[in-house]
């Protein structure tokens, strides 16, 4: 039997899941055109915000009960496995109440429940429409990350065999895997999230692991715009971006892409399409740069602070940059840019 061609990986954002019938039609069209498809999904709209609210009030039993009820409301007609996930969330919220101040691994376990609920809920809706959807939870699949809880990175060498084998079995049966975005399993065997918006990164990473040539990121309304429309009313969608342009936009405030999404795409030469579910004409294609193209986009990263440190010996002092970066990391402060002179360290910080 000839080897199966690599699948198309398509990720649906949380807002797009508000219309599962449209999602089903979209997937059906992709399968007819591309053959095998792997779907990656985010949590439903506002679900991650609710889980963050629970973490911000770890001892509030009343608030947790309200959040749990809202989770049930946002995921109606859950299949049995999905109802077990709701029970698991209830247990985690009880654990949170006992712990008081959650550590990073517990926080990640709580936050991962949004995507877990989404894959079981969406799989049930897709099966109702005749698609052979199978829910897949990325940590159980074997998507391996480092131990940087809350902002972990995918470890491709450690993930490749398990991810290919697990998804390959599902695709060989003719089924449609619906995979959780946003998190994987750390080297310690714990749930580790990829940072806010990490489902885009997960989709690009899974595409790289499967040898896919294309990954599609489906948003409900827009693709990549030339500016934030709340700041620039005349912002327009961009038809093309190079890997470098997209990476710069993501790093410096464009919320439509996770900052790490482009790294696996560029490394494995994957073409990424960011498109609107509601308007098929709104598409941004991200790939290798082309000579003579003049796309222009503006983004803003705020709030920022400039810290100027006058250090004896300046940049000539061995280890000074590492020492300062470590102290800022301990304080939970991100360094956006770093400039040095013979006497000064100048750091642009995101507080």
């Amino acid at each position: 039997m000839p080897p199966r061609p690599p699948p198309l990986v398509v990720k649906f954002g949380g807002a797009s899941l508000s219309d599962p019938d449209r999602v089903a039609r979209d997937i059906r069209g992709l399968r007819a055109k591309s053959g095998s498809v792997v779907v990656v999904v985010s949590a439903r709209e506002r679900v991650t915000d609710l889980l963050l609210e629970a973490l911000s009030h770890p001892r509030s039993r009343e608030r947790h009960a309200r959040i749990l009820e809202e989770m049930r409301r946002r995921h109606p007609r859950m299949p049995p496995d999905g109802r077990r996930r709701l029970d698991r969330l209830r247990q985690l919220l009880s654990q949170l109440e006992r712990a008081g101040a959650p550590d990073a691994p517990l926080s990640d376990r709580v936050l991962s429940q949004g995507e877990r609920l989404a894959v079981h809920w969406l799989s049930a809706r897709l099966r109702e429409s005749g698609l052979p959807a199978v829910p897949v939870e990325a940590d159980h699949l074997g998507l391996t990350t480092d131990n940087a809880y809350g902002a972990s990175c995918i470890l491709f060498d450690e993930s490749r065999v398990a991810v290919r084998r697990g998804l390959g079995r599902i695709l060989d049966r003719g089924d449609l895997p619906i995979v959780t975005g946003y998190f994987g399993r750390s080297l310690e065997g714990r749930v580790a999230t990829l940072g806010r918006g990490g489902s885009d990164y997960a989709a690009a990473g899974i595409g790289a692991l499967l040898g896919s040539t294309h990954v599609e990121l489906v948003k409900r309304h827009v693709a990549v715009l030339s500016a934030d429309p709340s700041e620039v009313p005349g912002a327009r969608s961009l038809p093309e971006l190079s890997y470098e342009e997209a990476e710069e936009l993501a790093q410096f405030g464009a919320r439509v892409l996770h900052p790490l999404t482009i790294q696996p795409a560029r490394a494995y030469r994957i073409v990424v399409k960011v498109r609107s579910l509601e308007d098929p004409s709104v598409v941004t294609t991200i790939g290798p740069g082309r000579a003579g193209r003049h796309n222009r986009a503006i983004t803003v990263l705020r709030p920022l602070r400039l810290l100027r440190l006058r250090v004896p010996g300046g940049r000539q002092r061995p280890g000074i940059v590492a020492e300062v970066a470590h102290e800022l990391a301990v304080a939970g402060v991100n360094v956006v840019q770093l400039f040095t002179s013979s006497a000064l360290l100048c750091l642009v910080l995101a507080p």
Side-chain angles (χ1 to χ4, degrees), residues 249-264:
L249 283 172
Q251 290 285 357
F252 290 98
R255 290 170 292 181
V256 74
L257 284 175
H258 185 284
L260 293 181
T261 302
I262 303 304
Q263 289 186 8

Side-chain angles (χ1 to χ4, degrees), residues 13 48 68 84 112 115 138 161-162 181 205 240 245 247 256 286 290 312 319 330 336:
T48 301
L68 191 61
R84 281 191 282 274
S112 74
E115 276 69 19
V161 171
E240 291 182 79
E245 289 168 327
E247 194 167 50
V256 74
I286 301 170
R290 292 192 295 111
V330 169
V336 177

Side-chain angles (χ1 to χ4, degrees), residues 236-288:
R236 68 190 190 283
S237 62
L238 297 172
E240 291 182 79
L241 285 172
S242 69
Y243 294 129
E244 292 74 18
E245 289 168 327
E247 194 167 50
E248 287 286 308
L249 283 172
Q251 290 285 357
F252 290 98
R255 290 170 292 181
V256 74
L257 284 175
H258 185 284
L260 293 181
T261 302
I262 303 304
Q263 289 186 8
R266 179 169 51 194
Y268 293 88
R269 309 304 283 178
I270 298 170
V271 174
V272 177
K273 289 190 175 182
V274 186
R275 62 180 175 89
S276 164
L277 182 65
E278 296 190 345
D279 185 351
S281 67
V282 179
V283 180
T284 301
T285 300
I286 301 170

Side-chain angles (χ1 to χ4, degrees), residues 14-199:
S16 66
L17 299 184
S18 63
D19 191 346
D21 291 335
R22 189 188 288 264
V23 170
R25 290 195 299 271
D26 194 274
I27 293 172
R28 196 172 285 110
L30 291 173
R31 294 183 93 209
K33 181 173 60 176
S34 304
S36 59
V37 173
V38 172
V39 175
V40 176
V41 297
S42 299
R44 296 203 68 188
E45 194 170 24
R46 283 211 69 240
V47 162
T48 301
D49 290 335
L50 288 167
L51 295 172
L52 287 168
E53 181 184 342
L55 290 170
S56 297
H57 300 84
R59 296 191 183 276
S60 178
R61 185 171 300 177
E62 181 179 345
R63 189 183 298 263
H64 292 173
R66 178 181 59 77
I67 289 171
L68 191 61
E69 184 56 37
E70 180 66 13
M71 291 296 182
R72 292 192 178 96
R73 189 186 71 78
R74 288 176 179 271
H75 301 88
R77 304 189 347 258
M78 268 292 206
D81 284 348
R83 291 196 293 273
R84 281 191 282 274
R85 277 296 163 204
L86 284 167
D87 287 341
R88 177 58 177 154
L89 176 58
R90 178 182 54 77
Q91 294 167 7
L92 286 169
L93 293 179
S94 295
Q95 184 177 346
L96 187 61
E97 291 158 13
R98 294 192 298 272
D103 61 11
L106 176 56
S107 295
D108 276 8
R109 290 208 304 279
V110 171
L111 291 172
S112 74
Q113 299 306 307
E115 276 69 19
R116 296 188 201 274
L117 292 169
V119 296
H120 290 286
W121 174 82
L122 181 62
S123 294
R125 303 290 79 75
L126 295 178
R127 288 194 295 271
E128 290 171 354
S129 74
L131 288 166
V134 177
V136 180
E137 300 184 12
D139 54 340
H140 299 162
L141 176 65
L143 186 70
T144 304
T145 74
D146 60 22
N147 297 332
Y149 299 100
S152 57
C153 293
I154 297 170
L155 301 177
F156 289 88
D157 290 342
E158 290 82 351
S159 302
R160 187 169 288 106
V161 171
V163 169
R164 285 188 173 182
R165 181 187 298 129
L167 294 178
R169 281 197 295 260
I170 296 171
L171 294 170
D172 285 342
R173 298 196 306 260
D175 288 338
L176 174 68
I178 311 297
V179 187
T180 54
Y182 185 49
F183 68 89
R185 183 182 63 202
S186 75
L187 291 169
E188 299 173 334
R190 300 178 174 186
V191 177
T193 61
L194 305 173
R196 194 67 187 264
S199 294

Side-chain angles (χ1 to χ4, degrees), residues 277-343:
L277 182 65
E278 296 190 345
D279 185 351
S281 67
V282 179
V283 180
T284 301
T285 300
I286 301 170
R290 292 192 295 111
R293 190 166 50 76
H294 300 291
N295 279 329
R296 291 290 181 267
I298 299 172
T299 187
V300 176
L301 186 61
R302 59 163 69 104
L304 297 176
R305 299 289 185 269
L306 175 64
L307 176 64
R308 299 169 77 247
L309 298 176
R310 189 171 298 278
V311 179
R315 64 186 175 203
Q316 307 303 320
R317 177 176 158 187
I320 183 59
V321 173
E323 183 180 340
V324 170
H326 172 74
E327 293 300 324
L328 290 170
V330 169
V333 178
N334 289 325
V335 179
V336 177
Q337 285 189 328
L338 171 72
F339 307 91
T340 66
S341 69
S342 58

